[in-house]
Amino acid sequence: MKLTFLGTGTSQGVPVIGCQCDVCRSTDPRDKRLRTSAMLEWRGVRLVIDAGPDFRYQLLRAGVSRVDGILLTHEHKDHVGGLDDVRALNFVDYPTVRPVDLYATARTLRTVKKDFDYAFVTDKYRGVPEIRLHTISQSAPFRIGQAEILPIAGQHSPRFEVTGFRFGRLAYLTDFKQIEEQELRKLAGVEVLVINALRFAPHDSHLNVEEALSWIRKINPKRAYLTHMSHEMGLYDVTSHELPEGVELAYDTLEIELND
């Protein structure tokens, strides 16, 4: 199993437009964060988690021309805004047109169908994205090829649900703020945990560092990686030394491997 971090930044990315803070002016590539996304290669399939506004560049940078599915955690634009760019994946083997399979909850798919309505009309114009929608339930596992995926339900805020995913001994949670105890139990035995941590200061709809570390202690993985970070997280080379053993800041293009 290999997980590649395609992006580790928050909705504005890092650097933030117009910002002159030390992080946004940093020349360290680990401080440059595209919108949060990841790619998992496992049991013969290649899956991408979320397709935000940087989706095109992320796939180009990773040298990707084929995916077996896109999993969406929720419907916010920094996680779905790049879906139009699946068109390139559709036509890699032209004249064969290969639809891209999209997996998300009913609520998230309603937003996708609204925002990209031209991809789902009966009378399509030539070259629109070809997307097959698959509705998942947060309460039941689903399969893509030989990979069985366990959804993890949570709340981004009181208004918005969010879905994390467990892949064997690896779990990926982003944009979480709250989780019920029964969902936390689904993460028992996870060895690698990816979890969001926006900044050190509290936030209404994202975990901060203290909260993320509390969740990590409860789940007790061997390794944990923080993602969905804003420029308020501080410089990579400084903040990374302030974290407990076994907890790391993820950064764009980081690859982690796990025997599973």
Side-chain angles (χ1 to χ4, degrees):
M1 172 188 290
K2 181 169 78 170
L3 183 78
T4 303
F5 289 92
L6 301 177
T8 57
T10 187
S11 57
Q12 296 185 86
V14 183
V16 176
I17 294 172
C19 182
Q20 295 299 311
C21 76
D22 288 346
V23 176
C24 288
R25 292 186 295 111
S26 171
T27 59
D28 187 337
R30 296 170 298 183
D31 288 322
K32 300 185 185 303
R33 303 182 183 278
L34 300 179
R35 268 62 75 93
T36 292
S37 177
M39 179 173 67
L40 182 78
E41 295 167 275
W42 182 48
R43 297 186 178 175
V45 298
R46 176 184 288 147
L47 307 174
V48 171
I49 308 170
D50 288 332
D54 301 313
F55 181 65
R56 171 184 171 274
Y57 178 66
Q58 288 167 335
L59 293 196
L60 286 171
R61 183 172 63 180
V64 174
S65 60
R66 175 191 62 81
V67 300
D68 298 300
I70 298 174
L71 314 180
L72 298 181
T73 59
H74 63 299
E75 63 270 27
H76 287 169
K77 282 296 182 292
D78 55 320
H79 295 263
V80 306
L83 282 173
D84 184 80
D85 286 321
V86 304
R87 289 182 295 143
L89 301 175
N90 297 153
F91 296 106
V92 167
D93 298 321
Y94 190 79
T96 300
V97 178
R98 301 190 185 279
V100 170
D101 292 289
L102 188 65
Y103 299 81
T105 63
R107 172 177 174 151
T108 298
L109 292 183
R110 283 196 298 271
T111 298
V112 170
K113 288 190 283 187
K114 174 177 67 69
D115 291 356
F116 301 93
D117 57 350
Y118 54 89
F120 304 103
V121 296
T122 302
D123 184 20
K124 299 179 182 179
Y125 63 84
R126 187 174 182 272
V128 301
E130 297 291 340
I131 302 172
R132 283 191 296 241
L133 301 179
H134 302 265
T135 304
I136 66 171
S137 167
Q138 291 183 322
S139 61
F142 62 99
R143 298 186 72 87
I144 301 176
Q146 297 302 308
E148 182 172 287
I149 301 158
L150 179 64
I152 310 295
Q155 290 298 128
H156 190 352
S157 71
R159 294 177 56 195
F160 296 107
E161 67 180 26
V162 66
T163 305
F165 301 100
R166 178 171 181 169
F167 312 93
R169 290 181 288 170
L170 181 147
Y172 185 96
L173 310 179
T174 190
D175 289 54
F176 274 64
K177 180 62 176 181
Q178 295 178 321
I179 190 170
E180 297 293 335
E181 195 62 37
Q182 68 267 20
E183 295 299 307
L184 204 60
R185 286 196 288 269
K186 290 181 181 179
L187 299 169
V190 162
E191 293 188 7
V192 175
L193 175 67
V194 179
I195 188 168
N196 59 284
L198 186 74
R199 61 192 190 189
F200 286 91
H203 192 275
D204 289 343
S205 59
H206 295 83
L207 297 176
N208 67 1
V209 173
E210 181 181 353
E211 291 167 329
L213 292 178
S214 175
W215 287 32
I216 290 167
R217 287 190 292 269
K218 289 179 182 178
I219 297 166
N220 195 31
K222 292 181 178 179
R223 291 181 285 162
Y225 296 86
L226 306 184
T227 193
H228 204 283
M229 292 172 282
S230 77
H231 61 160
E232 295 177 71
M233 181 63 86
L235 293 165
Y236 177 92
D237 198 40
V238 174
T239 303
S240 60
H241 298 296
E242 299 174 355
L243 298 174
E245 184 177 357
V247 180
E248 301 179 32
L249 298 181
Y251 56 85
D252 292 19
T253 73
L254 174 65
E255 297 178 355
I256 58 176
E257 297 194 26
L258 176 66
N259 291 326
D260 193 331

